[in-house]
Amino acid sequence: VGHGIHVSGIAGASTNNTFGMAGVGYNTKLLPVKIDNQNGALVASYEGIVYAADHGANVINCSWGGTFGSGQFGQDIINYATYNRNALVVAAAGNSNNERLFYPCAYDNVLCVAATTENDAKWSGSSYYWRVDISAPGHNIYSTWGNGSFISSSGTSMASPMVAGAAALVWSYYPELSSLQIAQHLKNTSDNIDTITANSNYKEKLGYGRLNMYNALVDNFKPGIK
């Protein structure tokens, strides 16, 4: 439960109320979807994506996953959300500090998010690989917790909802865009961090760059090659 509360706060906690922290999605509505059982096993993860897509979610954040995907079943569900429901699926790249693909992040049509520090270096635990699309801060992120409290936590689980909230905000500015166009726009307007010395070993494995919400809201649209 705590993990979901923290993730939700990053994406969409209320703003301008002098309480705690502000979610990046400003006034976005949240639809929490329970995908685990009482033991914490993810028993309805991909089904949860379908549920969210069918209930009108424009952006679906997946701060979960594993190195073993669901094969074509998982890809079909991502495709259903993307093409049939025009929903953008955003997912965490994993916290294994290696290049093993992490699903659903590594599926086609998913906006795959790695985590960085406040200095734009790869967060020590973040996985990195060629399927990563974009990076976002995921180190010591302050967000909501149980009983009206707040804590700091680190992980790609924190970076993913930051991108998801940004996607929702940008989409509210440009409602005529498709889900994949929103994803490409976020990538196009990100800041290149491959040139940072600390990231020299991860070149082209942290996506297009680190999320830049300001650029995404004010920059002109650029062509993107996928």
Side-chain angles (χ1 to χ4, degrees):
V1 174
H3 180 268
I5 295 173
H6 200 269
V7 166
S8 297
I10 295 168
S14 297
T15 61
N16 297 332
N17 58 5
T18 69
F19 180 63
M21 45 74 70
V24 297
Y26 200 64
N27 284 327
T28 54
K29 295 180 180 179
L30 297 179
L31 172 65
V33 179
K34 181 175 172 59
I35 62 172
D36 62 348
N37 62 17
Q38 65 272 24
N39 300 316
L42 304 184
V43 296
S45 51
Y46 289 94
E47 293 83 353
I49 294 175
V50 173
Y51 181 90
D54 284 348
H55 285 78
N58 298 105
V59 183
I60 302 172
N61 179 70
C62 302
S63 287
W64 53 267
T67 53
F68 296 97
S70 292
Q72 192 60 45
F73 171 76
Q75 184 64 71
D76 286 347
I77 284 179
I78 299 299
N79 292 346
Y80 171 78
T82 304
Y83 296 121
N84 294 66
R85 296 301 187 186
N86 195 31
L88 175 60
V89 181
V90 183
N95 302 329
S96 300
N97 187 31
N98 60 32
E99 296 188 54
R100 291 195 66 183
L101 298 183
F102 196 74
Y103 296 91
C105 206
Y107 280 128
D108 290 342
N109 300 320
V110 175
L111 188 58
C112 185
V113 186
T116 55
T117 69
E118 61 273 23
N119 297 317
D120 286 339
K122 185 186 82 70
W123 171 62
S124 60
S126 178
S127 298
Y128 52 95
Y129 39 85
W130 65 277
R131 294 308 295 259
V132 171
D133 293 301
I134 195 169
S135 296
H139 177 242
N140 281 343
I141 305 300
Y142 190 70
S143 185
T144 47
W145 200 246
N147 299 317
S149 61
F150 301 85
I151 67 166
S152 294
S153 188
S154 300
T156 57
S157 282
M158 285 68 248
S160 184
M162 199 166 293
V163 172
L169 180 61
V170 171
W171 216 340
S172 73
Y173 271 59
Y174 305 111
E176 72 278 9
L177 297 184
S178 71
S179 58
L180 293 181
Q181 287 175 320
I182 290 291
Q184 190 64 48
H185 184 59
L186 290 175
K187 291 187 286 186
N188 285 353
T189 56
S190 64
D191 290 339
N192 181 17
I193 57 174
D194 281 352
T195 57
I196 295 174
T197 302
N199 295 332
S200 59
N201 292 330
Y202 314 112
K203 188 176 181 180
E204 299 182 354
K205 296 174 183 175
L206 296 174
Y208 278 57
R210 189 255 304 124
L211 172 72
N212 187 320
M213 289 177 61
Y214 178 78
N215 284 351
L217 291 170
V218 302
D219 275 13
N220 293 327
F221 295 113
K222 307 170 185 175
I225 299 175
K226 185 174 180 181

